[in-house]
Amino acid sequence: MALQQIIQHETGAYSQYWRVVETNLNYNSEEGEIVLYGYVSQEARENGKLKLDSRTFTVNTSDFNMYFIPPSIDPQDINQVKNSYLFVKGISGGEFSTATDV
């Protein structure tokens, strides 16, 4: 799974294919961090090309409790990575709020 969202990099190039590469979740403090890498395309990523861009998202306690506590994981094959995509897409007005799952 990944996200399709066109975002222009500061160089003028566009990242279209975004994937979660890191989930750092602390169940004790109920906080975390999600990192996405952006590539020119899915083919570029699959062919070992370097990432063009990255985005880091902080997960606060209320978001943690909505997306990452045990009851929100596992039903119907939901896991932390899938929930990371849901979290990123759920940020109101965020860069990925209109992203498409790919």
Side-chain angles (χ1 to χ4, degrees):
M1 180 176 188
L3 297 177
Q4 182 79 32
Q5 181 69 32
I6 299 171
I7 299 175
Q8 188 173 27
H9 184 260
E10 61 189 28
T11 64
Y14 292 90
S15 296
Q16 299 184 61
Y17 183 81
W18 295 85
R19 67 186 285 249
V20 169
V21 295
E22 182 178 335
T23 60
N24 182 5
L25 302 171
N26 184 319
Y27 284 87
N28 187 48
S29 65
E30 296 180 340
E31 298 174 325
E33 192 172 81
I34 308 297
V35 179
L36 273 70
Y37 281 0
Y39 298 86
V40 172
S41 65
Q42 180 177 354
E43 295 78 22
R45 189 203 65 82
E46 290 173 352
N47 290 326
K49 303 300 181 191
L50 296 175
K51 69 178 171 59
L52 180 61
D53 208 347
S54 66
R55 295 289 188 276
T56 301
F57 299 90
T58 300
V59 180
N60 61 33
T61 301
S62 62
D63 289 329
F64 189 94
N65 288 325
M66 180 180 288
Y67 291 97
F68 301 107
I69 59 171
S72 65
I73 300 171
D74 292 328
Q76 300 173 348
D77 197 32
I78 298 295
N79 60 53
Q80 292 171 338
V81 174
K82 287 181 182 180
N83 277 18
S84 295
Y85 288 113
L86 293 173
F87 165 71
V88 168
K89 288 174 61 175
I91 297 172
S92 180
E95 288 181 302
F96 295 95
S97 61
T98 61
T100 304
D101 296 336
V102 291

